[in-house]
Amino acid sequence: MNTSTDRRIAVIGLGAMGGAMAATLHRAGWEVTGFDPSEAARSAASDAGIRATDTLSDLAGTPYVVLSLPAASMVQTTVPQLLAAPGTIAIIDTTTSEPATSRQMADLAEAQGAAFVDAPVSGGRDGAASGSLSAFVGATGGALAAAEPVLLALTGGKYSHIGGPGSGNVVKLLNNVLAAANLVSVGEALGVAQAYGIDPATAAASISQASGGSKVSANMYPNWVLTGTHDSGFSLGLMARDAALAVQVAAQIGETPALLAAVAGQWQEALAVLGPRADFTEIARTVAPAITPAGAPGTTPAGAPPAPVTTNGTTAVA
């Protein structure tokens, strides 16, 4: 186990997940500095007692670093800047990234005496805020030991060492595409139940106690879909990206998972209709619109007032 007592840590990316992880580390006694190009994100971090900077180079050489970035391309440009000064012990990348990128960054870090681990996480903003995330870790044994203090703070020990660099990314992508498939299949199933006159909530609760049950049927549909709130905090754009990446990673080694490819296609169709900023649970609006109060895309949600009608530039209520 790593025995460093230095508690300085940088969190790169202060969005919903990164901001929550920064707050968790701060409460756990770490000396946290955050970076984000967004002034609003930096302000929110400051309100939580976290020092924030708008200059990434300020954080070069920080002993520990957590990355929470939107894409592998940003990991590739960020890590060299963080390693530009000596002192880095471990970089923990929670980004849902690409295995080849993680392998490259692990080699780069090792050449400079630092550790890099790919540790994409699951558990959403609630898990990030409570320090109860789960993580899929790809790393050498030495890199894992160096990163362990941070992993423990973010997960409470709930992480799996999958294998070498990049392997955490592979399993996280497979996890997400399976969740994407389940969101589609549960929605379709509950749509069938409703068509038979069965309350979707009752069907979901019953299924969740049987062999067809899952977190999707037990939590996601009851909490975010059937209520019409769709406020999980994870975007449809990111899930569509992850599903597509999972299929691409499979193709790189000659695998052709037909069902997963079909699911990825459905998410691309939903993305085209709903846009990347929609909540990922809004996939239900395209596969089973009758079961969510939000309704199908382009329709008026149940209970909403009628839309204004515009005639010759004048707005009137229909």
Side-chain angles (χ1 to χ4, degrees):
M1 179 182 295
N2 185 275
T3 58
S4 172
T5 58
D6 198 320
R7 303 283 282 180
R8 289 179 295 139
I9 191 166
V11 177
I12 312 301
L14 297 170
M17 290 294 290
M21 286 189 285
T24 290
L25 292 164
H26 176 66
R27 288 194 303 273
W30 291 80
E31 184 183 333
V32 183
T33 304
F35 165 81
D36 199 290
S38 164
E39 183 177 354
R42 295 194 305 273
S43 178
S46 297
D47 290 345
I50 297 161
R51 187 168 71 89
T53 178
D54 62 355
T55 306
L56 181 61
S57 59
D58 288 348
L59 302 178
T62 303
Y64 296 96
V65 182
V66 171
L67 304 182
S68 181
L69 299 170
S73 59
M74 295 188 70
V75 174
Q76 288 178 310
T77 59
T78 299
V79 170
Q81 296 180 69
L82 295 169
L83 294 172
T88 301
I89 296 170
I91 298 173
I92 297 88
D93 183 19
T94 69
T95 307
T96 301
S97 185
E98 299 176 25
T101 295
S102 291
R103 289 192 295 268
Q104 292 166 4
M105 296 303 101
D107 288 344
L108 177 64
E110 184 178 16
Q112 300 192 38
F116 178 97
V117 306
D118 48 290
V121 293
S122 181
R125 62 189 176 194
D126 292 342
S130 61
S132 60
L133 291 166
S134 58
F136 306 87
V137 180
T140 64
L144 176 61
E148 190 172 35
V150 179
L151 290 170
L152 289 173
L154 294 176
T155 72
K158 194 172 60 174
Y159 65 85
S160 299
H161 184 199
I162 307 298
S167 60
N169 296 138
V170 173
V171 176
K172 174 61 190 302
L173 288 171
L174 294 175
N175 173 80
N176 280 19
V177 75
L178 286 171
N182 203 208
L183 277 153
V184 171
S185 61
V186 170
E188 291 181 345
L190 296 183
V192 172
Q194 177 153 304
Y196 266 94
I198 300 168
D199 177 17
T202 300
S206 299
I207 289 168
S208 295
Q209 298 178 54
S211 59
S214 65
K215 288 184 178 180
V216 171
S217 64
N219 297 313
M220 294 183 187
Y221 268 82
N223 294 337
W224 296 320
V225 176
L226 302 181
T227 61
T229 56
H230 298 294
D231 61 350
S232 73
F234 187 65
S235 75
L236 190 148
L238 289 178
M239 183 57 102
R241 176 207 66 181
D242 292 351
L245 272 176
V247 175
Q248 290 173 21
V249 166
Q252 289 168 6
I253 56 170
E255 293 294 316
T256 55
L259 177 58
L260 299 185
V263 166
Q266 285 183 282
W267 280 82
Q268 291 300 318
E269 292 170 6
L271 179 63
V273 174
L274 293 164
R277 297 177 68 86
D279 192 85
F280 84 115
T281 62
E282 290 187 67
I283 185 74
R285 298 178 62 196
T286 64
V287 300
I291 69 170
T292 172
T299 62
T300 301
V309 176
T310 302
T311 306
N312 296 327
T314 301
T315 301
V317 176

